[in-house]
Amino acid sequence: MTVAQASRPTPLSRVWSAKGKIVAEDLTGDDLSDVLELHSDASAWWVLPRDDQYAASELREVAKALDLDHLAIKDLLAHDRRAKFETVGQARLVITNAVSLDPQTAALSVHPVSVVVTDRALICLVTPTDTFRPAQLFFQQEEALATGGVEAGLQLLMTAVINTYENVIQFLEDASDDLANALFEERPLNRTEQLYAFRLRSSLSQLRRLTDPMRAVMADIVENPAVGLKGKTTTRTSVITRRWTLICEHHTRVANSADGLREVLAAVFDTSLSLADLRMNQIMKKLSGWAAILAVPTLVTGFVGMNVNFPLDGTTLGFWVYVVLMIAAGLLLYVIFRRKDWV
């Protein structure tokens, strides 16, 4: 990004010609459609803030030009977090989710992303976050859009979505490694660590519910190219197809990492429970050993305290003999248990 770009506010829409020249910026609705009609070789992207009333109003206006029915608009505005791909007339609809994670609480936040793609326009409905800003992404990648067109914009957008998954998984992997290092100290997780591990596991479960359906969506995108690219075998088409394949493989690796991380966190829990059981067994063994040692004085004093005659009863020598007997028996049991690691 150049210095001039950095000093300018990021536009929410842009129209550019086939030669990469910027035709207009920050247009909405009918104005955007009019400019596209005036420039037959131009393409456009539009990041529409995901506000139910505003987005619905703008989509209804755009729907007339794109032949989108009310069911398509309902899908685009839905908040059910389901990933979906659909072809409606000349438009392709991609519904997915970006994610972010709070490092302090390990809480996962899901941000719905809805995309309408035609051969000349890309409309993205999303609430921008610190880690996912499509408008800024398109603004920075203007050269890629100039050469690759709208299809390159969709590829950039899907790559950014997958990157949010990858960033979360990387954090979860690092946090899991930290918990595993605590287990290498041969101690179970304390209460705070257990709660944190549970939050990690909960966030991972939410993430897997997002990455698994995206496998089918990515496959559908690869199998259903833009209308203008179907049946063509040009160099540009080959490059676009190869990029889609690489993006699909990228998502597959991320989804597989999420599946593998689930087993890692499960192993952390199981190992912590095993160490807790082992520690409890050690404690019970030590308590049993000390109980056996302390039982010796009780046995001797209980015996000499009976109201019967026995050797050395009532004598000073008898007192010291039984004291020595208690101490000797206790020391003998201590030595035996110590060798067996019972105390």
Side-chain angles (χ1 to χ4, degrees):
M1 185 170 58
T2 64
V3 176
Q5 284 181 319
S7 61
R8 294 174 53 196
T10 303
L12 293 180
S13 68
R14 172 176 286 181
V15 181
W16 73 95
S17 66
K19 297 180 180 180
K21 181 181 178 181
I22 299 173
V23 177
E25 290 183 341
D26 281 328
L27 299 179
T28 60
D30 293 336
D31 293 336
L32 188 62
S33 300
D34 292 341
V35 172
L36 286 176
E37 289 181 3
L38 288 174
H39 301 270
S40 59
D41 65 337
S43 301
W45 58 260
W46 180 19
V47 176
L48 185 60
R50 197 180 183 87
D51 178 85
D52 287 344
Q53 294 182 354
Y54 174 71
S57 176
E58 292 290 349
L59 272 181
R60 290 190 183 96
E61 294 298 326
V62 175
K64 299 175 183 178
L66 300 181
D67 295 329
L68 300 180
D69 55 20
H70 70 283
L71 293 177
I73 296 176
K74 183 178 179 181
D75 284 340
L76 292 170
L77 296 174
H79 293 273
D80 53 12
R81 299 181 179 180
R82 59 190 176 89
K84 182 179 180 180
F85 175 85
E86 185 178 4
T87 301
V88 180
Q90 300 294 319
R92 290 177 294 165
L93 276 58
V94 181
I95 301 170
T96 183
N97 302 274
V99 295
S100 60
L101 190 77
D102 185 349
Q104 301 299 324
T105 62
L108 187 74
S109 299
V110 181
H111 314 286
V113 180
S114 301
V115 187
V116 182
V117 190
T118 67
D119 58 337
R120 297 178 58 200
L122 183 153
I123 304 173
C124 177
L125 283 77
V126 64
T127 300
T129 65
D130 292 338
T131 58
F132 187 74
R133 296 180 177 273
Q136 187 174 7
L137 174 65
F138 295 149
F139 185 56
Q140 294 173 346
Q141 298 293 331
E142 60 180 20
E143 293 184 3
L145 293 173
T147 57
V150 172
E151 196 70 11
L154 181 59
Q155 291 177 339
L156 290 171
L157 189 64
M158 297 309 298
T159 300
V161 169
I162 297 172
N163 286 339
T164 64
Y165 300 156
E166 189 172 30
N167 293 336
V168 170
I169 289 177
Q170 184 61 53
F171 177 86
L172 294 177
E173 287 178 346
D174 294 340
S176 300
D177 290 341
D178 293 339
L179 293 175
N181 291 334
L183 296 177
F184 284 130
E185 299 174 5
E186 297 185 2
R187 66 169 180 85
L189 302 178
N190 56 37
R191 184 174 181 275
T192 301
E193 291 170 333
Q194 287 178 349
L195 289 175
Y196 190 66
F198 179 78
R199 294 191 189 100
L200 293 178
R201 195 170 185 178
S202 176
S203 296
L204 179 62
S205 297
Q206 294 181 57
L207 182 62
R208 292 184 68 249
R209 286 195 290 270
L210 299 176
T211 57
D212 281 348
M214 276 298 293
R215 298 176 189 265
V217 171
M218 293 304 302
D220 288 340
I221 293 176
V222 174
E223 295 173 1
N224 295 273
V227 175
L229 300 178
K230 289 183 178 180
K232 294 184 178 181
T233 57
T234 62
T235 302
R236 178 173 176 268
T237 303
S238 299
V239 171
I240 291 176
T241 302
R242 185 168 179 269
R243 285 177 179 171
W244 273 125
T245 302
L246 293 175
I247 294 172
C248 188
E249 291 175 353
H250 182 196
H251 177 268
T252 300
R253 291 195 300 271
V254 171
N256 291 340
S257 297
D259 294 338
L261 188 57
R262 181 187 183 187
E263 298 178 1
V264 172
L265 283 174
V268 168
F269 271 98
D270 293 341
T271 304
S272 179
L273 291 175
S274 299
L275 287 175
D277 292 341
L278 179 61
R279 172 169 288 191
M280 182 61 67
N281 291 337
Q282 292 288 343
I283 293 173
M284 292 302 298
K285 185 169 63 174
K286 291 181 182 296
L287 289 176
S288 300
W290 283 111
I293 294 173
L294 295 176
V296 172
T298 304
L299 176 63
V300 174
T301 55
F303 176 77
V304 300
M306 292 188 296
N307 192 19
V308 296
N309 293 324
F310 55 88
L312 303 177
D313 181 22
T315 64
T316 303
L317 178 61
F319 169 78
W320 288 110
V321 167
Y322 290 114
V323 168
V324 171
L325 179 62
M326 288 189 295
I327 295 174
L331 288 174
L332 178 61
L333 287 176
Y334 176 81
V335 171
I336 294 174
F337 290 158
R338 189 67 177 174
R339 288 180 177 177
K340 295 181 177 294
D341 195 28
W342 276 33
V343 293

